[in-house]
């Protein structure tokens, strides 16, 4: 997947087309690190900070995993050097993020990104924990099916 393919996918997110149009107007082109930060990095950080909707958080994490699995080098750079670096700036957010991604993606981050990205040296490895998040007005645990009382 190249950046044009990625933009088409991101335009399907809530407000995606509007964000992409504003970005194109501001930069007269697609500047992937900035767009990735605005489309995924910042909203995901805020959702994780507020313990927001499991479904929305998972949607963003799934988009990131698609970037990892299918992205060309430019897309991978935006994922690793923009989105992951931003999420890793706060240890609580970082560990909370790790609960929403697949084991394969978590292993990739721990074994390749954290080892190879000097800007992330000193960042703790993602732990394998069950997510706790808000869904449909209640606090849920794990896969969102068991309510915490």
């Amino acid at each position: 997947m190249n950046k044009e393919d990625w933009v088409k996918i991101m335009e399907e997110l809530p407000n995606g087309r509007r964000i992409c149009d504003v970005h194109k107007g501001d930069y007269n082109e697609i500047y992937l690190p900035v767009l990735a930060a605005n489309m995924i990095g910042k909203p995901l950080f805020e959702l994780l900070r507020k313990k927001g909707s499991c479904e929305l958080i998972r949607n963003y994490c799934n988009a990131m995993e698609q970037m990892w699995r299918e992205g060309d080098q430019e897309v991978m750079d935006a994922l690793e050097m923009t989105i992951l670096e931003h999420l890793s700036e706060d240890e609580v957010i970082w560990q909370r993020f790790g609960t929403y991604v697949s084991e394969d993606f978590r292993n990739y981050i721990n074994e390749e990104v954290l080892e190879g990205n000097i800007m992330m040296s000193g960042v703790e490895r993602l732990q394998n924990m069950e997510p706790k998040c808000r869904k449909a007005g209640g606090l849920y645990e794990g896969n969102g099916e068991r309510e915490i009382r």
Side-chain angles (χ1 to χ4, degrees):
M1 158 185 9
N2 61 28
K3 74 177 174 183
E4 288 79 16
D5 296 331
W6 183 82
V7 169
K8 288 177 188 171
I9 293 168
M10 292 300 103
E11 286 179 337
E12 302 304 317
L13 290 173
N15 296 315
R17 188 166 308 282
R18 182 187 61 75
I19 293 169
C20 287
D21 288 344
V22 168
H23 178 86
K24 290 174 189 173
D26 289 347
Y27 293 94
N28 296 321
E29 65 177 321
I30 298 298
Y31 184 54
L32 201 52
V34 173
L35 187 57
N38 290 333
M39 294 291 293
I40 297 178
K42 292 175 184 177
L44 179 57
F45 189 94
E46 283 304 306
L47 282 168
L48 291 165
R49 185 180 66 78
K50 295 176 184 176
K51 298 182 184 176
S53 161
C54 288
E55 183 178 348
L56 282 175
I57 292 169
R58 286 193 178 108
N59 286 343
Y60 283 112
C61 291
N62 289 340
M64 292 172 66
E65 290 198 37
Q66 186 175 7
M67 291 172 75
W68 165 59
R69 284 190 312 274
E70 301 173 20
D72 65 11
Q73 190 60 51
E74 187 176 17
V75 171
M76 290 292 290
D77 289 347
L79 171 65
E80 293 176 10
M81 293 185 271
T82 301
I83 300 170
L84 293 176
E85 281 183 17
H86 177 60
L87 293 173
S88 73
E89 291 172 359
D90 182 294
E91 179 64 24
V92 171
I93 299 299
W94 181 243
Q95 292 303 327
R96 196 171 287 156
F97 160 73
T99 68
Y100 289 93
V101 298
S102 69
E103 183 178 354
D104 288 343
F105 189 42
R106 188 172 37 254
N107 289 339
Y108 168 76
I109 292 168
N110 285 339
E111 295 166 13
E112 295 189 37
V113 176
L114 295 181
E115 298 296 322
N117 183 337
I118 194 163
M119 296 302 290
M120 295 178 77
S121 64
V123 172
E124 292 292 321
R125 294 171 59 87
L126 293 172
Q127 304 301 308
N128 187 9
M129 301 179 292
E130 287 293 314
K132 293 179 181 176
C133 62
R134 296 201 176 280
K135 184 172 183 178
L139 188 62
Y140 287 77
E141 177 177 80
N143 63 8
E145 295 177 4
R146 186 165 53 109
E147 187 168 359
I148 299 171
R149 301 216 182 255

